[in-house]
Amino acid sequence: MASSASSLRYTLIALASVLTAPAAFAHAHLTQQNPAANAQVSASPQALTMTFSEGIEPAFSGATLTGPKQEQIKTGKATRNEQDKKQLIIPLAQSLDAGTYTVDWHVVSVDGHKTKGHYTFSVK
Ligand SMILES: [Cu+2]
């Protein structure tokens, strides 16, 4: 009795992982960014670039940039790299003073799923 109950339990666990894994893989996760997360850069960047694990929809994707005084930094319109549909580019409309900046990003991947996250970087 005990062994058949436990084998049923393992079957259900295996089935659950098979059913949930493909959706999890299809989501756009942030894999790389420039300036890099936790980086300290010496010059103000001209754009933020973020590379995801899946293609993204630029019309529904973007980021906000918050400065060292908790101020909102003006950014240009988010666009997708024409050569790489996994890469989002956000031009900066102003140069950044020294301090720590937080990027709050949100994207919709080509499969229609939403993901979001945040990271920080510093300007010397
Ligand atoms: Cu997905």
Side-chain angles (χ1 to χ4, degrees):
M1 257 345 248
S3 76
S4 77
S6 92
S7 77
L8 176 64
R9 199 162 73 94
Y10 285 120
T11 305
L12 290 175
I13 290 166
L15 188 61
S17 63
V18 167
L19 292 174
T20 55
F25 281 118
H27 287 57
H29 297 289
L30 182 61
T31 57
Q32 208 182 342
Q33 64 295 116
N34 193 4
N38 306 314
Q40 194 176 43
V41 296
S42 49
S44 175
Q46 295 185 325
L48 305 176
T49 61
M50 284 165 244
T51 305
F52 294 88
S53 56
E54 298 294 327
I56 49 105
E57 297 288 357
F60 304 103
S61 303
T64 59
L65 183 61
T66 307
K69 297 171 196 135
Q70 300 307 310
E71 76 277 31
Q72 188 88 7
I73 308 295
K74 197 166 188 252
T75 61
K77 190 172 180 285
T79 57
R80 188 170 67 179
N81 183 339
E82 282 173 27
Q83 270 82 53
D84 182 358
K85 61 182 186 170
K86 296 177 180 181
Q87 190 174 72
L88 188 68
I89 302 168
I90 299 172
L92 297 181
Q94 64 182 77
S95 98
L96 305 181
D97 296 330
T100 299
Y101 292 81
T102 302
V103 181
D104 278 285
W105 59 267
H106 65 275
V107 300
V108 172
S109 53
V110 290
D111 68 0
H113 291 137
K114 293 178 187 177
T115 48
K116 61 180 179 173
H118 58 89
Y119 63 91
T120 64
F121 68 89
S122 305
V123 177
K124 273 189 230 180

